[in-house]
Amino acid sequence: MAGLFVFLISFFVYSLTLTPSVDLHDSGEMITAAYSLGISHPPGYPLYCILGKLIMSILPIGNIAYRMNFFSSLSASLASMFLCFIGMRLYKDKIIAIVPALVFSFSRIFWQQAVISEKYTLNALFLSLLILILLKWQENSKFKIQNSKLLYLFSFLLGLSFTHHLQTIFIIPSAIFLIFSRLKRKKEKKAQGFRLKASGSLILLFFFLPLLLYIYLPMRAASNPEANWGSPDTLERFISHITVKEYSHYFASSSQWLSNFKSSLYFFPSQFTFFILIPAIIGIFIMVAKRRFEAIFFGLIIAFDILHSIRYQIHNIEDYYIPTFLVLSIFLGEFLVFAKNKIKHIRAFFLLIPSIPLLTNYYSANRDRDFYSYDYGRNILEPLEKNSILLIMGDTFAFPLWYLHFVENVRGDVALIDKLELRYLWYCENLKKRYPDIAFSFEPSKKPDPALIGTRFIDIVHRNIEKRGIYVPLPFAQEVSQTHLLIPEGIAHRILPKSLSYQGIMNEIKRSTFKFKYRKTHIFLEERTRHNYDNYAIAYEARAGFLAERGLYEDGIFCLKEAIKIDPNKTSSFYNLGILYRDSGKLDKAEEIFKEMINKFKGADGHYGLGMVYQKKNRLDDAIKEYKEAISLDPKKIFIYHSLGSVYLEKGMFKEAIQAFQDSLKISPDDPNSYYNLGVTYWKGGRIEEAISAYRKVLELSPNYPGVAESLRILTGG
């Protein structure tokens, strides 16, 4: 009943906070792999894919992503229930067993993982079950190896857990310690040893038997499912995939381990708060004093988890500490036993303890209105031309698109090609099978050479640009940004020939209007989500800049207003809006925007923009005042000195102009623009020799600087 209570409370809270659709992390990839009975990133997760497919097939609620999120919640609730059973065996007190289990349920990272489609809650389920079996074995077997049924079960479940994820490997040192140290305490060591050898063969058999599930990988890879990471249909690729060879570059050198460990220390209070963390740490010392054997057993799990995690450098490394958070919850129970024995009537208040992480972490874990990834993916796909090619790259960008495209068939006409994976020959071979209508020409290469990413990307562009729309997010377009035209059409940019006529460009602009549709509710935005929200505003800014370069100021102004709606605190959107108003001749509107910037942001950009407006209005003294204020707020921007010098020059104040340009050289001594401005000022001031010297310095720094050679010819008479 205690375990059922923990399960129901945990599952109820998770259900209330469950993500309604796909999430931003590996969620889209894991769902797609399960849906297509495909292969996820190394080591492939065959067990997760099979169980996920079963869950989504029999569960008649919500969309496919919601069902997989439900699977995570179910795994997490069961893990907490088994943690409660562990507590009952350790503490012999149901109330005390319930408290650490619920504290773990509502720890920040575990709760966040419990409401999205991810693998870590199933890891925790295996870990808690394996710990429980070992504790039950040592309790019931009377340490006789012939009573080994529980060890066979442990070995089988350990092997099965490895077909999901290798995180449960951290229990192996603890298991070895528990089994062998207990056996050595008994008499008849020789007899025990013989029995151990006889049982050892069966233990190994039960461990390796479930590992046969990895045959799933080459079997499914042969059919080229939508998710076919690594295409492990050959022995070499199969071994590479299950040994996670592709991720070897994420392991840090030993010199970084200490730094990584120090960085990880902030993870712990953020899970439980100090009110719970400190008693849990005290519980470690209490267990060492009272039950040293159990303390070593649990301590080894923490030690090996941390030793592995500080070597691994990935963005979501905090997830790898979940085994440690689970064991810390067990140590909390040890403290509660101590407190119960020391303070009368305190036990009645123990059930209030889980409310601390529940209330503290609710906001950061609640995802019941989180449609961000779903909306983000649709906003990428929907503006694209029919039957186009979208170059994707990176987990955050790609995985929501996998789910929408392959599972919900959103824009099924679009071909998704992962630019980063173009380094792999297996990926290129899969592309040819999946998209027979797209022209590919890939040179064979057994080694995953990063240089192939650019060459194969350019090959796709050249061979298909006349027949299909080709799109790429701007940060991934380095190889074609100089040779092709990039038109912002949402978060992605369309690649077009640079030779396109002006009228052709105008037609493309008119055709590619867009407006983002998204639901921004008052939910917690984790780091990646916060950064991705910026992409909406950045896309509108890029569009505005592209339009403004072609004189379409009104359309550009509209885009910048949309960017400000998305992020009212984005200074670049305000600044660019003021510039467009200025360039379009609406100087009063520009003045209004820059004054708003000054009041809202208190930075140099507003004063600099206002100075430019005043300069254009011929209010030169006011312009000088604003430029000086901008310099006082940000004295490192040399272009502000250039603008200040230009106003002085316009007023005929040559001495002050020269000083402004010389001040800019103090910041950047080799700036050719500053020397050019000095040359112009000296010339207009009649200081010909100094003008010649300044112009010669310009050519020394930038031999092709426009107009300087002609100016020197005039000044020198040569």
Side-chain angles (χ1 to χ4, degrees):
M1 292 301 294
L4 185 61
F5 175 79
V6 168
F7 173 85
L8 291 175
I9 291 295
S10 301
F11 190 72
F12 175 73
V13 173
Y14 295 154
S15 299
L16 292 178
T17 56
L18 200 64
T19 309
S21 186
V22 67
D23 185 65
L24 197 63
H25 292 270
D26 292 344
S27 173
E29 180 226 359
M30 301 295 287
I31 299 168
T32 305
Y35 180 79
S36 62
L37 279 178
I39 296 150
S40 187
H41 64 272
Y45 305 96
L47 181 63
Y48 182 90
C49 291
I50 293 169
L51 291 177
K53 184 66 173 179
L54 181 64
I55 288 285
M56 67 177 66
S57 299
I58 64 175
L59 199 64
I61 57 171
N63 54 50
I64 296 298
Y66 185 84
R67 297 175 196 180
M68 292 300 289
N69 299 339
F70 178 94
F71 178 33
S72 291
S73 292
L74 181 64
S75 301
S77 302
L78 288 170
S80 297
M81 182 181 76
F82 286 123
L83 183 56
C84 177
F85 293 156
I86 291 169
M88 289 172 66
R89 294 197 168 274
L90 290 172
Y91 320 130
K92 313 301 181 185
D93 186 307
K94 293 178 182 178
I95 297 295
I96 293 179
I98 287 171
V99 173
L102 287 179
V103 164
F104 177 65
S105 293
F106 306 136
S107 59
R108 182 176 59 85
I109 283 294
F110 189 65
W111 189 351
Q112 289 175 347
Q113 295 298 309
V115 295
I116 63 174
S117 304
E118 265 285 11
K119 57 266 187 191
Y120 298 105
T121 59
L122 187 56
N123 287 340
L125 170 56
F126 273 117
L127 180 62
S128 60
L129 184 54
L130 290 168
I131 292 172
L132 178 64
I133 291 170
L134 285 176
L135 294 179
K136 187 174 175 63
W137 172 80
Q138 71 144 347
E139 201 175 79
N140 294 351
S141 67
K142 296 182 180 177
F143 318 130
K144 292 181 179 178
I145 197 65
Q146 66 265 32
N147 298 324
S148 301
K149 292 180 181 178
L150 286 170
L151 287 183
Y152 299 153
L153 178 60
F154 171 85
S155 184
F156 179 83
L157 288 175
L158 182 64
L160 188 64
S161 72
F162 280 14
T163 66
H164 171 57
H165 195 278
L166 298 179
Q167 203 174 37
T168 44
I169 199 171
F170 305 137
I171 199 175
I172 291 180
S174 297
I176 293 171
F177 165 76
L178 182 146
I179 294 169
F180 283 93
S181 63
R182 284 306 195 189
L183 289 174
K184 287 180 180 179
R185 293 186 184 188
K186 292 291 149 185
K187 297 178 180 179
E188 303 177 8
K189 291 182 181 178
K190 288 186 178 180
Q192 295 277 20
F194 285 124
R195 295 187 190 111
L196 178 59
K197 289 178 182 178
S199 299
S201 300
L202 280 175
I203 288 172
L204 289 175
L205 175 63
F206 277 107
F207 171 75
F208 284 110
L209 191 62
L211 293 180
L212 293 174
L213 192 60
Y214 271 111
I215 295 173
Y216 165 96
L217 299 183
M219 289 176 61
R220 292 303 300 153
S223 65
N224 194 25
E226 283 84 356
N228 188 15
W229 197 305
S231 192
D233 52 358
T234 67
L235 181 61
E236 180 183 358
R237 294 201 294 243
F238 174 75
I239 293 172
S240 175
H241 202 71
I242 64 174
T243 56
V244 200
K245 185 178 178 181
E246 185 178 330
Y247 292 158
S248 59
H249 62 283
Y250 284 116
F251 285 97
S253 63
S254 56
S255 61
Q256 295 174 284
W257 293 358
L258 181 59
S259 174
N260 291 346
F261 175 71
K262 290 177 181 178
S263 299
S264 71
L265 292 178
Y266 86 93
F267 296 160
F268 297 93
S270 69
Q271 304 307 311
F272 310 109
T273 74
F274 280 109
F275 294 107
I276 292 175
L277 180 61
I278 292 173
I281 294 172
I282 295 172
I284 297 174
F285 296 101
I286 294 171
M287 187 177 281
V288 168
K290 289 174 57 182
R291 294 188 283 192
R292 187 170 300 174
F293 175 80
E294 284 83 358
I296 295 173
F297 172 76
F298 290 116
L300 284 171
I301 296 175
I302 290 180
F304 279 88
D305 182 22
I306 292 177
L307 282 173
H308 170 76
S309 300
I310 62 176
R311 293 171 59 238
Y312 202 33
Q313 298 193 125
I314 57 173
H315 183 272
N316 60 317
I317 190 61
E318 197 170 0
D319 304 334
Y320 275 70
Y321 286 81
I322 286 176
T324 295
F325 303 148
L326 185 149
V327 174
L328 278 175
S329 301
I330 293 172
F331 287 130
L332 171 66
E334 197 70 22
F335 174 83
L336 297 180
V337 172
F338 174 80
K340 181 191 74 170
N341 295 333
K342 294 293 182 181
I343 306 172
K344 291 182 179 181
H345 310 301
I346 195 174
R347 183 171 172 270
F349 296 97
F350 285 168
L351 287 177
L352 296 175
I353 294 175
S355 65
I356 297 174
L358 173 66
L359 297 175
T360 303
N361 296 327
Y362 179 82
Y363 176 66
S364 62
N366 181 20
R367 292 287 190 273
D368 71 320
R369 292 166 293 156
D370 186 357
F371 295 95
Y372 170 73
S373 299
Y374 181 87
D375 292 341
Y376 184 67
R378 291 196 73 103
N379 282 320
I380 293 171
L381 291 171
E382 287 182 351
L384 307 183
E385 184 182 79
K386 190 175 182 180
N387 296 322
S388 57
I389 297 171
L390 174 63
L391 278 297
I392 58 178
M393 190 168 83
D395 301 358
T396 302
F397 187 87
F399 290 160
L401 300 183
W402 279 31
Y403 171 74
L404 287 166
H405 183 74
F406 295 120
V407 179
E408 295 201 356
N409 198 31
V410 175
R411 293 305 308 268
D413 58 297
V414 173
L416 299 184
I417 298 179
D418 194 315
K419 183 183 172 188
L420 192 62
E421 299 301 302
L422 289 173
R423 72 178 79 181
Y424 300 108
L425 183 60
W426 61 261
Y427 183 74
C428 299
E429 291 170 348
N430 287 348
L431 285 179
K432 291 180 180 180
K433 296 174 187 176
R434 184 168 297 132
Y435 304 119
D437 296 332
I438 297 178
F440 298 110
S441 177
F442 298 132
E443 294 295 328
S445 174
K446 289 186 176 180
K447 292 185 178 181
D449 185 357
L452 293 171
I453 296 173
T455 56
R456 287 173 173 170
F457 165 53
I458 292 171
D459 177 77
I460 292 171
V461 173
H462 285 320
R463 290 177 178 274
N464 297 277
I465 197 167
E466 299 296 332
K467 298 177 182 178
R468 292 173 176 262
I470 303 179
Y471 296 83
V472 63
L474 189 60
F476 311 151
Q478 306 95 299
E479 293 88 353
V480 294
S481 58
Q482 299 300 317
T483 57
H484 289 74
L485 185 67
L486 293 167
I487 297 184
E489 296 190 8
I491 292 169
H493 289 56
R494 183 168 182 182
I495 303 172
L496 290 170
K498 209 155 196 175
S499 59
L500 195 67
S501 67
Y502 177 80
Q503 188 56 49
I505 294 173
M506 291 299 106
N507 290 337
E508 288 294 335
I509 291 172
K510 291 174 184 176
R511 183 196 59 76
S512 64
T513 57
F514 68 92
K515 184 174 172 63
F516 293 128
K517 301 174 185 176
Y518 62 94
R519 290 161 280 193
K520 188 175 181 182
T521 52
H522 296 289
I523 59 171
F524 172 77
L525 300 179
E526 58 174 323
E527 181 187 357
R528 282 199 226 185
T529 308
R530 286 198 307 271
H531 290 165
N532 267 36
Y533 260 122
D534 287 346
N535 288 338
Y536 287 137
I538 291 168
Y540 275 122
E541 285 188 341
R543 178 79 171 180
F546 186 87
L547 294 169
E549 287 175 6
R550 287 149 183 86
L552 301 173
Y553 296 115
E554 288 302 319
D555 292 331
I557 287 169
F558 169 80
C559 289
L560 289 172
K561 287 182 176 179
E562 290 297 313
I564 290 170
K565 287 179 186 177
I566 292 167
D567 186 356
N569 296 312
K570 194 169 181 62
T571 56
S572 59
S573 298
F574 275 95
Y575 178 80
N576 290 327
L577 180 59
I579 294 296
L580 287 198
Y581 276 131
R582 182 203 66 174
D583 292 346
S584 63
K586 297 181 179 180
L587 298 181
D588 290 339
K589 288 292 295 182
E591 183 178 346
E592 181 183 317
I593 291 296
F594 288 124
K595 284 182 176 178
E596 184 179 350
M597 278 192 72
I598 292 169
N599 293 329
K600 190 178 178 78
F601 303 114
K602 315 295 183 186
D605 290 341
H607 290 285
Y608 177 66
L610 191 57
M612 288 191 291
V613 172
Y614 287 150
Q615 187 172 0
K616 196 145 188 171
K617 284 186 170 186
N618 206 33
R619 293 169 55 181
L620 300 184
D621 290 334
D622 289 331
I624 290 170
K625 178 184 175 183
E626 294 301 326
Y627 288 146
K628 285 183 175 180
E629 183 64 26
I631 288 170
S632 70
L633 292 169
D634 193 347
K636 296 297 184 182
K637 290 181 176 176
I638 62 172
F639 59 84
I640 306 179
Y641 294 92
H642 293 170
S643 296
L644 177 61
S646 71
V647 180
Y648 282 132
L649 186 59
E650 197 172 339
K651 292 189 71 175
M653 300 170 67
F654 300 118
K655 180 180 177 182
E656 289 80 0
I658 290 168
Q659 184 61 56
F661 297 134
Q662 287 177 340
D663 287 342
S664 71
L665 284 170
K666 293 176 184 176
I667 300 166
S668 181
D670 294 325
D671 175 44
N673 295 318
S674 297
Y675 281 106
Y676 176 78
N677 289 329
L678 274 174
V680 171
T681 307
Y682 285 136
W683 189 357
K684 288 191 175 183
R687 297 163 65 172
I688 304 302
E689 291 301 319
E690 289 166 292
I692 292 170
S693 176
Y695 282 141
R696 284 175 175 166
K697 185 65 176 179
V698 174
L699 292 180
E700 179 185 324
L701 296 168
S702 180
N704 297 316
Y705 199 101
V708 174
E710 179 63 17
S711 296
L712 272 175
R713 188 188 66 78
I714 294 170
L715 289 172
T716 59

